[in-house]
Amino acid sequence: MIDTRASSVTALEQSLEERGSTDITTLKDLSKSRKVLVLIILCSALFLDTFNNSSLFAAIPPIALELDIPDSQSVWLLGAYQLTFAALLLVSGRVSDLYNPKWVFVIGAAMMGVFALVAGFIRTKIPLIVLRALMGAGGALTIPSAQHLIVHMYPDPEEQAKAIAIFGGMGGIGIVIGLIIGALFVSFVSWPWVFYFSSIVSAVITLSIFILVPNVSRQSRNDESTSQSKRFKRLDLIGVGLFTAALILFIFAVTTGSVEGWRLAKVIAPLIISALLMAMFFIWEAYLPEWYAALPPKIWRYDNVVILTAISLVPFMWWGSIFPLFSWVWEVVYGWSAIKTAVHFLPVALGIFPALPLAAILQSKIRLKWVILLGFTLLLTGTILLPFGNSESRYWRFVFPGFLLGTAGAAIIYATTNIALLANTPPDVSGIVSAVFVSVLQTGGATGLAIVTSIQTSVEVKHGGPRGFEGRAAGLWFLVAFIGLMMCFFIVFMKSKPVGGTMADEEVISPIEDVEKKATSS
């Protein structure tokens, strides 16, 4: 459905070559076997990012016990990583688009490895939380740069769609595998091995990309100092600073509010300030000349980009909510071991495997709107089953099929939306587009968990208590309502395009190229 984009990509390659850029030509000309190997390594980076969070579900209890971390603070072992990861994505995306994405990735992966290794030796809470935040900063550098490399390594629309689908699927798989590996380490070794394992994988990823990916040059034929100066201006430090500060404050507020309550000044003030900063960010981006803007307003004018970005809230909100909702009751109320709990989450990973190739195949056969609508239908059906899984005996009747259907639907939405956003926007802004997409995913995960936790806590005060299922059922029904609402918005606002065409009828051209053409003609 995105075949007609090939001529635009070719024109863009020629334009970039005229200016001395060699990144597309170098990456796309790698041998097939080398491309596959690089793709596997890049997918491993996304796996590691999700592993770094899900593996702590089993590790947090022993960490909190050994380091004397209260429940109200232990949440920051997860929150610190998510906060810096989400907040720095736009910076990472902008740097990946303007400079060498290979080195952005290598630096990020190396940071994750070094800080994870140090974290394994730390036995005090504040330094450990700080190191988790630094690991998140490293993770933020890897994802937009990885997708930038994938987009330029596979310029053919069909190959690119398959590669992006595979890459995206590793996120969901990493959540479940991370939970199992974390449980194994906690049960048979010790919790520091969660960090040692992350460090070892980071080292392998860093060295592999350093060796396998050619050095990407972006030097212009014009005066090098002038080119470097213009490139630095296009980083848009004010814009990305506003965006970063807004996300940091927002995630801090929703994380704190879910644990300590929403009426506190330290929750309300950051929420208000984050909203103001985000408004200032969009005003600033509209004010800047488009070739200097980190997120050019023209990007939002491509067909369906706004609605696709909005529905990106859904997948991680679902994945990020179901694990804490079920894991606590299974371990504390049912008395299951960490390993038994992790095994019962396996359907979440199993549902992803058929969903990813299905999404890649369907998007080239039928209209994109119907593919994503299928994902919503599966996700909504699976989520409706989950509130009825209120006892051990109901796992196979309700929870197991709910996990399978729900995760398949979330995977289809996730993969297809990612493919569509990258296909509908120019390759030379793929880093920024990827950064916005992942930022929305992370925001959805943090916001959903905060809301679901708050609903659960408020219901438990009057019904069932923390050992009951009533509060968790109420949180799950919120997910049903939210997914249904987003599904309705999608049906109304998503423009359906014919199979074999681009999502937008207009020419797919970079906002930067567009402005430069206008400047030249004038």
Side-chain angles (χ1 to χ4, degrees), residues 29-91:
D29 290 341
L30 296 176
S31 66
K32 185 176 180 180
S33 59
R34 192 171 175 181
K35 283 184 180 181
V36 171
L37 188 55
V38 170
L39 179 61
I40 291 172
I41 300 300
L42 295 176
C43 288
S44 300
L46 182 57
F47 166 86
L48 187 61
D49 281 321
T50 53
F51 169 89
N52 283 333
N53 278 320
S54 62
S55 60
L56 281 196
F57 284 131
I60 282 179
I63 292 174
L65 182 64
E66 182 174 337
L67 305 188
D68 193 26
I69 304 176
D71 290 341
S72 60
Q73 295 178 11
S74 65
V75 68
W76 286 107
L77 290 170
L78 287 173
Y81 187 100
Q82 294 171 338
L83 188 149
T84 53
F85 181 85
L88 296 176
L89 282 167
L90 193 66
V91 180

Side-chain angles (χ1 to χ4, degrees), residues 60-345:
I60 282 179
I63 292 174
L65 182 64
E66 182 174 337
L67 305 188
D68 193 26
I69 304 176
D71 290 341
S72 60
Q73 295 178 11
S74 65
V75 68
W76 286 107
L77 290 170
L78 287 173
Y81 187 100
Q82 294 171 338
L83 188 149
T84 53
F85 181 85
L88 296 176
L89 282 167
L90 193 66
V91 180
S92 170
R94 190 60 171 167
V95 173
S96 297
D97 286 338
L98 293 178
Y99 294 93
N100 192 329
K102 170 186 173 178
W103 287 110
V104 176
F105 183 94
V106 166
I107 291 171
M111 285 176 60
M112 281 198 295
V114 170
F115 293 128
L117 180 63
V118 176
F121 292 98
I122 295 297
R123 296 298 182 270
T124 51
K125 63 182 179 182
I126 299 300
L128 184 59
I129 292 173
V130 171
L131 286 166
R132 283 283 298 168
L134 293 172
M135 287 174 64
L141 293 176
T142 62
I143 302 307
S145 55
Q147 294 218 29
H148 185 107
L149 291 170
I150 291 172
V151 166
H152 291 91
M153 192 165 58
Y154 293 99
D156 177 74
E158 289 189 10
E159 290 185 345
Q160 185 182 116
K162 293 176 182 177
I164 293 296
I166 294 170
F167 179 81
M170 291 306 297
I173 294 170
I175 293 174
V176 179
I177 302 303
L179 189 66
I180 295 173
I181 293 176
L184 289 171
F185 282 142
V186 169
S187 300
F188 297 107
V189 192
S190 61
W191 64 261
W193 273 96
V194 170
F195 296 105
Y196 298 152
F197 178 84
S198 177
S199 180
I200 293 169
V201 176
S202 295
V204 174
I205 290 173
T206 303
L207 290 174
S208 299
I209 293 300
F210 177 78
I211 295 170
L212 293 172
V213 175
N215 202 32
V216 176
S217 172
R218 294 187 187 278
Q219 291 185 356
S220 173
R221 291 175 181 170
N222 299 325
D223 180 69
E224 184 176 345
S225 61
T226 303
S227 174
Q228 292 290 342
S229 175
K230 288 182 178 179
R231 196 180 300 168
F232 181 78
K233 288 181 180 180
R234 285 176 55 196
L235 278 176
D236 185 14
L237 294 179
I238 294 177
V240 296
L242 289 170
F243 184 88
T244 299
L247 269 187
I248 287 175
L249 290 172
F250 178 80
I251 294 176
F252 172 83
V254 297
T255 302
T256 304
S258 66
V259 176
E260 301 183 28
W262 295 94
R263 297 182 180 180
L264 300 176
K266 66 178 180 181
V267 174
I268 297 173
L271 280 176
I272 295 174
I273 297 172
S274 69
L276 292 174
L277 290 176
M278 191 59 73
M280 291 172 62
F281 166 73
F282 284 109
I283 292 171
W284 174 257
E285 295 300 288
Y287 167 78
L288 278 183
E290 285 197 344
W291 62 90
Y292 285 137
L295 191 61
K298 184 179 177 66
I299 287 179
W300 302 108
R301 296 197 288 271
Y302 289 112
D303 283 350
N304 296 321
V305 166
V306 173
I307 185 61
L308 287 171
T309 303
I311 66 172
S312 301
L313 289 166
V314 173
F316 272 34
M317 180 177 288
W318 190 84
W319 277 318
S321 297
I322 62 169
F323 285 101
L325 281 173
F326 283 95
S327 60
W328 191 90
V329 72
W330 287 352
E331 292 189 28
V332 176
V333 179
Y334 300 168
W336 293 359
S337 66
I339 295 177
K340 184 176 180 179
T341 296
V343 169
H344 279 75
F345 279 117

